[in-house]
Every structure is written in C-alpha cells, then in structure tokens.
Amino acid sequence: GAVVSQHPSRVICKSGTSVKIECRSLDFQATTMFWYRQFPKKSLMLMATSNEGSKATYEQGVEKDKFLINHASLTLSTLTVTSAHPEDSSFYICSAIKGGLDTQYFGPGTRLTVL
Amino acid sequence: SQQGEEDPQALSIQEGENATMNCSYKTSINNLQWYRQNSGRGLVHLILIRSNEREKHSGRLRVTLDTSKKSSSLLITASRAADTASYFCATDESNDYKLSFGAGTTVTVRA
C-alpha cells in the first residue's frame, strides 16, 4: 500500500496566528513530497516541493517566509502557515512520491479557516 | 502553474451510462495522469499514461492520449452512483514529478 496522512484534517484559527500541518507517509519512505493548495471548486495549485534533508523549492508567487516547509525525515513533511490571514483560508493537500515511481499518493487534505 | 483544460466542466449522467471527459494541455509531457476527488477529500490516482502510449485500461476506465493534439480523454463505462466525483487530469512536463492540474470535470451519476 501507499498511504499518506495529514493532520489536522480541519483547523480554524484567528488571524495573525501560525498553523502547522503535518504530512506523513505511513507505509513507505518519501524523499520527495509536494504541497498543493486548492480553492473551492478549483484545481490544485502546486505550492512547493519538499525534499528530505534540503530546502524546499517554491513555485513562482508562493512566499517562502509565509509558508514554511520542513522535511525532517523520510516520512514527515510539515507546512507552517505563518501569521495567517483570512485569504490563506483554503484546502491544503500534500502528496508523496514512492520509490521513484511516477505516481503521487495524496493525503486527505487539511481545511484551514482563518477568522 | 495550471496547464490543463478540461471539458466539460460538469457532467450529469444516469447510472449505467458512460461518461467521457477530455483534457487538453499546452506543452510536451512525459506522462499524463488522471485523478478522482470526492468532495472535500484528497485525490485518488486512477491511471498514468506515458507519452509513448496511446491507450490504457483499468477496470471500467479507459484513457487515451493523443500527443499530436495534446489531448487526453477519460472514459468511465457503466457508471455507478459511487463514481460521482471530480476528475482531474495532471501532466508531468519535465520528468521531475511536478504535476500541473487541469480545472477538473465534476461528474454526477444519478441513480
């Protein structure tokens, strides 16, 4: 199997606070993980590529100081939304690559609501 | 960036009918993948088709790829209510595993 989990599944926070989202590959090691953002009824937008042991690579237009990514181990990547604002409210989804295969395995997503 | 365009945006069919959706893209690709997303959930990988392949089957799913037209289609045969979901195509352009997603087709299967 290839299972990816995310925690939390849903979070509501106040404007100005920081929120950490975890992405774990449960039954395989993932040297590469990806973070996506999805607005309601819209497609997924790639935010960044998270590589174990090195700095994340951010897509154009994504603020690296706003969205901090840490890939501390082969099974865990975290996304921290710093000083969150209502416009950061979105569905955040991670994915992981298993063993050099082309298929990405997606987590169930985290719904962030910033009040 | 988003490179795929999907057609139609929404599709409503009766259970047992076939559903066909199309995806067009702009640049050359290494592979194209189809995913399904149930409302408010993560994505489930359906099929990957490589640039040198023209057709692939998996159960009730059939995917075609026409690189000359930069387009792909996903056919779901004998649809079921459980097939109700959004379907996305995604392209891998530079073999770095980064995916560019299309806008998606929302499929509703009526019982």
Side-chain angles (χ1 to χ4, degrees):
Chain A
V3 180
V4 176
S5 71
Q6 279 183 244
H7 178 80
S9 58
R10 190 178 290 267
V11 56
I12 300 173
C13 69
K14 291 183 179 179
S15 190
T17 61
S18 294
V19 175
K20 180 186 283 189
I21 302 169
E22 293 185 349
C23 176
R24 292 182 186 271
S25 54
L26 297 185
D27 53 358
F28 65 99
Q29 294 184 331
T31 54
T32 302
M33 291 182 171
F34 298 93
W35 286 96
Y36 295 85
R37 184 173 180 176
Q38 186 180 31
F39 290 101
K41 300 190 187 302
K42 296 291 186 183
S43 186
L44 280 74
M45 300 295 292
L46 178 64
M47 298 175 67
T49 304
S50 172
N51 296 299
E52 187 268 338
S54 64
K55 289 183 179 180
T57 305
Y58 291 82
E59 295 299 301
Q60 195 171 4
V62 178
E63 299 175 60
K64 61 180 180 181
D65 295 328
K66 172 78 171 174
F67 299 100
L68 300 179
I69 291 172
N70 185 292
H71 197 144
S73 74
L74 287 171
T75 59
L76 173 64
S77 174
T78 60
L79 168 68
T80 301
V81 182
T82 62
S83 187
H85 291 284
E87 57 264 30
D88 299 323
S89 297
S90 193
F91 194 54
Y92 293 88
I93 308 177
C94 71
S95 69
I97 298 286
K98 179 182 178 182
L101 300 176
D102 294 338
T103 302
Q104 289 189 26
Y105 295 93
F106 283 80
T110 296
R111 173 80 56 198
L112 170 64
T113 303
V114 185
L115 302 176
Chain B
S1 63
Q2 185 174 319
Q3 108 147 301
E5 300 256 342
E6 293 188 55
D7 169 53
Q9 288 186 337
L11 185 59
S12 180
I13 56 174
Q14 201 72 34
E15 206 166 25
E17 293 180 339
N18 296 342
T20 300
M21 59 211 87
N22 304 295
C23 167
S24 60
Y25 56 91
K26 298 184 177 70
T27 65
S28 60
I29 61 171
N30 290 297
N31 65 68
L32 185 145
Q33 305 178 36
W34 285 92
Y35 289 85
R36 185 186 75 215
Q37 183 181 36
N38 289 86
S39 181
R41 307 293 295 273
L43 276 71
V44 174
H45 183 262
L46 297 177
I47 286 187
L48 180 152
I49 186 165
R50 300 189 188 284
S51 58
N52 61 352
E53 297 176 308
R54 291 297 165 258
E55 188 170 311
K56 239 179 165 179
H57 297 255
S58 176
R60 294 183 295 111
L61 306 179
R62 173 176 168 256
V63 166
T64 63
L65 179 64
D66 187 334
T67 52
S68 66
K69 295 181 179 178
K70 291 187 170 60
S71 68
S72 174
S73 68
L74 170 65
L75 167 69
I76 305 172
T77 60
S79 63
R80 304 168 182 168
D83 295 329
T84 295
S86 291
Y87 292 82
F88 294 91
C89 68
T91 53
D92 179 353
E93 300 161 28
S94 51
N95 219 23
D96 60 359
Y97 305 119
K98 289 185 181 181
L99 295 178
S100 296
F101 280 83
T105 294
T106 300
V107 175
T108 303
V109 181
R110 305 186 305 274

Coordinates of all heavy atoms in Angstrom, one line a residue, chain B residues 46 49 54-55 65 79 82 85 87 89 99:
Chain B
L46 N -5.9 7.4 -10.5 CA -6.7 6.4 -11.4 C -5.8 5.7 -12.4 O -5.7 4.5 -12.4 CB -7.8 7.1 -12.1 CG -8.9 7.8 -11.2 CD1 -9.9 8.5 -12.0 CD2 -9.6 6.7 -10.3
I49 N -0.6 7.5 -18.0 CA -0.3 7.1 -19.3 C 0.9 7.9 -19.8 O 1.0 9.1 -19.6 CB -1.6 7.3 -20.3 CG1 -1.3 6.8 -21.7 CG2 -2.0 8.8 -20.3 CD1 -2.5 6.6 -22.5
R54 N -0.7 5.2 -26.2 CA -1.9 5.8 -26.8 C -3.2 5.5 -26.1 O -4.2 6.2 -26.2 CB -2.0 5.3 -28.3 CG -0.9 5.8 -29.2 CD -1.0 7.4 -29.3 NE 0.3 7.9 -29.8 CZ 1.2 8.5 -29.1 NH1 1.0 8.6 -27.8 NH2 2.3 9.0 -29.6
E55 N -3.2 4.3 -25.4 CA -4.4 3.9 -24.7 C -4.1 3.0 -23.5 O -3.1 2.3 -23.6 CB -5.3 3.2 -25.7 CG -6.7 2.9 -25.2 CD -7.6 2.3 -26.3 OE1 -7.7 2.9 -27.4 OE2 -8.3 1.3 -26.0
L65 N -4.5 8.9 -25.2 CA -3.6 10.1 -25.2 C -3.3 10.3 -26.7 O -2.8 9.4 -27.4 CB -2.4 9.8 -24.4 CG -1.3 10.9 -24.4 CD1 -1.8 12.2 -23.8 CD2 0.0 10.4 -23.7
S79 N -21.4 3.6 -15.6 CA -21.2 4.4 -14.4 C -22.1 4.0 -13.3 O -23.2 3.4 -13.5 CB -21.4 5.8 -14.7 OG -22.8 6.1 -15.1
A82 N -21.5 5.7 -7.2 CA -20.2 5.9 -6.5 C -19.1 6.6 -7.3 O -18.1 7.0 -6.8 CB -19.7 4.6 -5.9
A85 N -18.0 12.4 -8.5 CA -16.8 12.9 -8.0 C -16.3 14.0 -9.0 O -16.9 14.2 -10.1 CB -15.7 11.9 -7.8
Y87 N -13.0 14.9 -11.4 CA -12.0 14.2 -12.1 C -11.0 15.2 -12.7 O -11.4 16.1 -13.3 CB -12.5 13.3 -13.2 CG -13.3 12.1 -12.6 CD1 -14.7 12.3 -12.3 CD2 -12.7 10.9 -12.4 CE1 -15.4 11.3 -11.7 CE2 -13.5 9.8 -11.9 CZ -14.8 10.0 -11.5 OH -15.5 9.0 -11.0
C89 N -7.2 15.9 -14.7 CA -6.0 15.4 -15.4 C -4.8 16.2 -14.9 O -5.0 17.3 -14.4 CB -6.1 15.5 -16.9 SG -6.2 17.2 -17.5
L99 N 3.5 18.1 -10.9 CA 2.2 17.9 -11.7 C 1.5 19.3 -11.9 O 1.4 20.1 -11.0 CB 1.3 17.0 -11.0 CG 1.8 15.5 -10.9 CD1 0.7 14.7 -10.2 CD2 2.0 14.9 -12.3

